[in-house]
Amino acid sequence: MILGLTRSWSLTGYMIAAVIVLPLIALLVQASFPDEAVFSHLFNTVLPTYISNSLLLIVLVGLGSLIIAVPAAWFIARCEFPGRRYFQWLLLLPLAMPAYIVAYVYTDMLDYAGPVQIALRQWFEWSSPHDYYFPSVRSLGGAAIMLSLVLFPYIYLLARTAFMEQSASLLHASRIMGCTPWRSFWRLALPMARPALAVGVALVAMETAADYATVSYFAVPTLTTAVYDTWLGYGSLTAAAKLSAIMLLVIFAMVGVERFARRKQQLFQKQSSLSAADRYSLKGIHAFGAFGYCASLLFAAFVLPFVVLLTYAVDYFDESWNEQFWQYSWNSLYIAVLVSVICLLLSLILMFVRRVSPRPSDNLPSRLSSTGYALPGTVLAIGVLVPLTYLDFAINDIYDWFGARGPGLLFTGSIFAIVFAFVVRFLAISIGSIENSYKRISPSLDMASITMGQQPRQLLTRVHLPLLRKGLLAGALLVFIESMKELPAALLLRPIGFENLATYVFQFVSDEMLEHGALAAIVIVIVGLIPLIYLNRSLEHAS
């Protein structure tokens, strides 16, 4: 800690935090305004359906992801079978696949006119839908399955790490006491992994609550679609803000319930790394079952959708490789790079203040600035629209007062709104990356630098920056990738006529013409694979 840190650094940190939390504050203030017509109509008609569908979808996706992920995590962490080394990172690949693309692929396959039902009618000589029953893919249950296939890696990764970090001596003790692998898993490993599973389920729940594209494609009315439709359909910013506040209440309630449920849970175990000898060696049908489960999960969640995309991209390459594709790719690249640079600079300032300030209160700006990641894209978009709309009106009123023509929608009618929203949402990622890198820098280096007469700015540029290079690169890369993939906020905040790859692909999905946007979708998926390569390296070192 540096006692010579000037107040200007602390003030800068608080100013950054104030700007980042402004959308959340504006949203809550706007939600408190009266809007009797629109919100009362929604409250008396469809709002209960929106809330019940949202809660049911969150529960179904949480349970589905848990059921899918835990067996895979156990097989990888505690069992030895052919292909285990490769499956440990291959099972992370579904994170790179947007859920609405997976939804489109399976809908195209499983609908009445799809190849699956056509084959069934031919085999059994059915002539009409009345001759047989086939579950509807375009339903709340179908949306839950699609989201579970994409989101289960959150739980898988945390559960796998928890299983691997459990004490090997406890496993040996369970073996000595005659526990079968199943009893050892059910009575020992699973209860000890509960905190990690709870965190994973909470992440899945927040991602589910934030999803717009999948539920919109399946025509499942949820709070996310309600916010979007209320703003664009009714034009009521206040009603949209009220719905967004309800979404925030649901998310905070889920996190609160999860923490309350394990408030008294404490776990003490001696840490010891697992070796290959500590794993159950699976043979015969058991090895085939573990391999088959992991292979089937990978095929259903990633391989099949990616192969379909690749086929579409090859077949429609001449139509897709056009000026629009390059323009929208440039739009995505430009925004992602701009957001990455801004997040990197802001998080570096925030974490430097937190690192060197002797005042505990200076930890607050970095913590406040990390709250944006918990906001769903549609909620964040409304929170951004509120202050920027008032600012646009205020600027134009000033111009009118001077008898001049105003600039129009200076902020809400440009990419400024998208960039601002992305920075608010993804700043937490770069903060976390730099924070982890700072933990590896000894405080004695700071003391030595000050002893040698270095000022705070010199300490940052000459000492910290060279040591933070990997953390800065990782943070910028993750922000870049998330900015390329973010859809709900871009849909609500994009200027007229502006498209990026995410909105471009979603328009084709909505029009049942993904074939024409498959090339752009593959670009999004490939970009999303980059962080998984880094995760793969860390997993290989951990195993």
Side-chain angles (χ1 to χ4, degrees):
M1 295 184 294
I2 302 173
L3 298 177
L5 184 71
T6 59
R7 286 285 183 180
S8 60
W9 283 92
S10 298
L11 182 60
T12 301
Y14 276 99
M15 290 176 62
I16 293 173
V19 174
I20 297 301
V21 300
L22 178 61
L24 178 59
I25 297 174
L27 176 68
L28 297 177
V29 172
Q30 185 73 27
S32 66
F33 291 168
D35 184 13
E36 299 298 335
V38 177
F39 187 75
S40 296
H41 170 71
L42 295 174
F43 184 83
N44 294 324
T45 54
V46 295
L47 185 57
T49 301
Y50 289 144
I51 296 176
S52 60
N53 283 346
S54 298
L55 293 176
L56 184 57
L57 183 66
I58 289 170
V59 171
L60 290 176
V61 175
L63 289 176
S65 300
L66 197 64
I67 293 171
I68 292 173
V70 170
W74 173 258
F75 288 145
I76 298 299
R78 291 291 196 173
C79 301
E80 192 66 46
F81 62 94
R84 187 198 70 85
R85 177 182 176 186
Y86 301 102
F87 281 124
Q88 69 176 349
W89 62 269
L90 285 173
L91 289 176
L92 296 173
L93 296 184
L95 282 176
M97 185 68 66
Y100 57 91
I101 293 178
V102 177
Y104 179 93
V105 170
Y106 279 101
T107 301
D108 194 47
M109 289 178 56
L110 301 176
D111 260 352
Y112 181 78
V116 173
Q117 292 201 50
I118 290 177
L120 289 175
R121 289 195 296 271
Q122 291 175 348
W123 291 343
F124 297 100
E125 297 182 353
W126 292 326
S127 58
S128 72
H130 303 290
D131 295 335
Y132 67 100
Y133 170 77
F134 197 90
S136 174
V137 184
R138 295 175 180 268
S139 61
L140 191 144
I145 294 174
M146 299 301 109
L147 289 170
S148 297
L149 286 176
V150 172
L151 299 178
F152 82 87
Y154 285 110
I155 301 177
Y156 158 77
L157 183 59
L158 293 171
R160 175 190 173 277
T161 303
F163 289 146
M164 291 190 66
E165 291 180 348
Q166 289 173 1
S167 174
S169 60
L170 292 177
L171 176 61
H172 296 155
S174 68
R175 288 177 175 177
I176 293 173
M177 297 177 67
C179 283
T180 63
W182 167 251
R183 292 183 64 190
S184 177
F185 163 77
W186 185 255
R187 301 182 63 179
L188 182 65
L190 193 60
M192 288 194 300
R194 182 184 170 190
L197 296 179
V199 173
V201 171
L203 288 172
V204 168
M206 286 191 288
E207 290 293 331
T208 303
D211 178 80
Y212 168 77
T214 307
V215 292
S216 175
Y217 178 65
F218 279 173
V220 177
T222 63
L223 285 172
T224 310
T225 60
V227 172
Y228 187 87
D229 295 340
T230 301
W231 169 236
L232 294 184
Y234 293 99
S236 175
L237 195 59
T238 300
K242 291 180 181 293
L243 292 173
S244 300
I246 294 175
M247 283 189 65
L248 288 179
L249 182 62
V250 170
I251 292 174
F252 292 151
M254 289 188 302
V255 175
V257 168
E258 180 270 325
R259 291 184 177 181
F260 179 81
R262 58 186 180 93
R263 67 194 184 283
K264 295 182 179 180
Q265 184 183 41
Q266 297 185 32
L267 179 63
F268 302 97
Q269 58 175 319
K270 183 179 179 181
Q271 297 293 331
S272 59
S273 59
L274 284 170
S275 63
D278 295 319
R279 302 191 185 103
Y280 296 106
S281 181
L282 303 181
K283 304 293 183 182
I285 190 172
H286 297 96
F288 179 77
F291 177 87
Y293 180 82
C294 294
S296 300
L297 188 55
L298 177 64
F299 178 80
F302 182 80
V303 175
L304 177 60
F306 187 79
V307 170
V308 171
L309 274 183
L310 198 58
T311 304
Y312 286 160
V314 173
D315 292 342
Y316 291 83
F317 181 81
D318 292 336
E319 298 178 26
S320 302
W321 190 265
N322 52 33
E323 184 179 348
Q324 283 185 327
F325 170 75
W326 285 106
Q327 179 62 50
Y328 301 154
S329 298
W330 167 251
N331 291 343
S332 293
L333 177 66
Y334 175 73
I335 290 179
V337 170
L338 185 59
V339 171
S340 300
V341 172
I342 295 174
C343 285
L344 210 60
L345 293 175
L346 296 182
S347 57
L348 186 60
I349 294 173
L350 291 168
M351 290 311 302
F352 179 71
V353 172
R354 181 173 174 177
R355 164 85 175 192
V356 303
S357 175
R359 296 177 289 271
S361 59
D362 284 340
N363 293 337
L364 185 61
S366 61
R367 298 186 185 278
L368 288 176
S369 300
S370 300
T371 58
Y373 193 69
L375 301 179
T378 49
V379 173
L380 177 60
I382 298 301
V384 167
L385 280 173
V386 171
L388 294 188
T389 300
Y390 280 107
L391 186 59
D392 276 339
F393 283 139
I395 292 175
N396 284 276
D397 288 342
I398 292 174
Y399 270 83
D400 291 341
W401 190 75
F402 283 104
R405 182 179 179 182
L409 301 178
L410 184 63
F411 295 106
T412 57
S414 67
I415 65 169
F416 179 88
I418 295 180
V419 172
F420 181 38
F422 284 11
V423 169
V424 172
R425 179 159 168 75
F426 302 130
L427 184 60
I429 298 176
S430 56
I431 288 177
S433 180
I434 295 177
E435 182 180 8
N436 288 333
S437 296
Y438 257 128
K439 291 179 180 178
R440 299 183 178 94
I441 301 177
S442 173
S444 61
L445 289 177
D446 298 355
M447 296 297 100
S449 299
I450 294 303
T451 303
M452 297 175 66
Q454 300 291 308
Q455 296 300 315
R457 184 173 61 182
Q458 295 171 320
L459 172 66
L460 175 62
T461 56
R462 296 181 180 180
V463 179
H464 289 175
L465 276 180
L467 297 174
L468 292 172
R469 283 183 302 177
K470 290 185 177 180
L472 292 172
L473 177 61
L477 184 62
L478 290 173
V479 171
F480 175 86
I481 293 163
E482 291 295 329
S483 299
M484 291 282 290
K485 294 166 56 179
E486 174 64 24
L487 176 65
L491 282 174
L492 277 172
L493 298 174
R494 57 180 173 167
I496 297 176
F498 180 88
E499 300 278 358
N500 63 6
L501 287 178
T503 60
Y504 180 60
V505 172
F506 181 69
Q507 292 302 325
F508 281 118
V509 171
S510 301
D511 296 336
E512 303 283 352
M513 299 172 59
L514 178 59
E515 313 84 52
H516 300 279
L519 185 62
I522 285 181
V523 173
I524 296 175
V525 173
I526 291 177
V527 169
L529 291 175
I530 296 175
L532 300 181
I533 297 175
Y534 283 92
L535 279 176
N536 173 32
R537 291 180 179 179
S538 64
L539 289 173
E540 287 183 343
H541 288 303
S543 298

